[in-house]
Amino acid sequence: MAQIISLISAAVSDVFRNEISSTVHAISQREDEDPELPELTILDQNISPEVLEKKAGASYPSLHLYCERLENRLTERFRLFSGIAHMVAEIRLSLDYSAPLDRFARFYGEAVTTVLDHHRGDWRNGIFYGGGYEMSFSSIKHGGKNYLQTVKISFVLNASLDQE
């Protein structure tokens, strides 16, 4: 199963690494935002902000891509995995002051959902994205540089894979 998760995670990572920067830039120009908005740091792991800050020092803003859960429904017989991968793209933002956090959260959230909207269909090697997602915003809390807010975008990938 580890190899299945690795294949799915690699496909998700490729989609975002190739397009998130240009999407953020395009939205910033459309909204007349500061063109020097910090680049998103992309991490392929599910690690809490508190642990990340203690472990290696967190970089903000960041985009965390990870698989939250797998469902092997065996919809295709004789496949090792044929089911659903519940994926998460979590944006973490931190600033010295709280006023612009909510605006930046919506801004970066739109960038992630725009990338997803442009990639409906076949991602590669039996991984398909149907187009739906769910976005949730956390409340602003103490953490990071002083204030921390997260945006969690959950989406489902259909996968039909064999171990290679």
Side-chain angles (χ1 to χ4, degrees):
M1 226 19 90
Q3 188 174 14
I4 300 298
I5 295 171
S6 294
L7 288 170
I8 293 169
S9 295
V12 171
S13 184
D14 287 348
V15 165
F16 282 99
R17 286 186 196 281
N18 291 335
E19 294 199 24
I20 195 70
S21 294
S22 60
T23 303
V24 167
H25 182 71
I27 293 171
S28 70
Q29 286 184 330
R30 183 193 75 205
E31 298 293 325
D32 293 326
E33 283 290 334
D34 181 5
E36 299 301 318
L37 283 171
E39 192 80 19
L40 280 169
T41 301
I42 300 175
L43 298 169
D44 296 324
Q45 62 183 169
N46 183 4
I47 185 168
S48 77
E50 298 81 16
V51 171
L52 186 60
E53 287 172 12
K54 289 179 183 175
K55 176 186 165 200
S59 175
Y60 297 102
S62 61
L63 175 62
H64 296 258
L65 304 169
Y66 56 90
C67 182
E68 194 169 52
R69 99 179 181 248
L70 286 175
E71 292 180 38
N72 192 356
R73 296 184 172 178
L74 296 175
T75 52
E76 291 185 41
R77 289 182 158 191
F78 310 112
R79 292 272 187 180
L80 181 65
F81 181 86
S82 180
I84 297 173
H86 296 267
M87 302 301 296
V88 172
E90 184 176 301
I91 303 157
R92 296 180 186 166
L93 303 162
S94 183
L95 294 172
D96 289 336
Y97 45 95
S98 63
L101 270 178
D102 193 50
R103 183 171 51 103
F104 287 157
R106 290 191 305 267
F107 178 80
Y108 283 110
E110 181 181 349
V112 169
T113 58
T114 299
V115 170
L116 287 172
D117 288 340
H118 289 133
H119 285 87
R120 291 184 183 142
D122 187 6
W123 280 16
R124 72 171 181 192
N125 302 332
I127 300 169
F128 301 91
Y129 173 59
Y133 54 81
E134 181 179 314
M135 184 185 300
S136 62
F137 297 85
S138 73
S139 59
I140 296 171
K141 63 181 182 177
H142 181 69
K145 295 178 180 174
N146 197 17
Y147 294 101
L148 177 71
Q149 185 171 24
T150 61
V151 180
K152 184 177 179 181
I153 297 109
S154 303
F155 57 99
V156 174
L157 295 176
N158 294 305
S160 180
L161 305 167
D162 284 319
Q163 258 183 328
E164 295 177 358

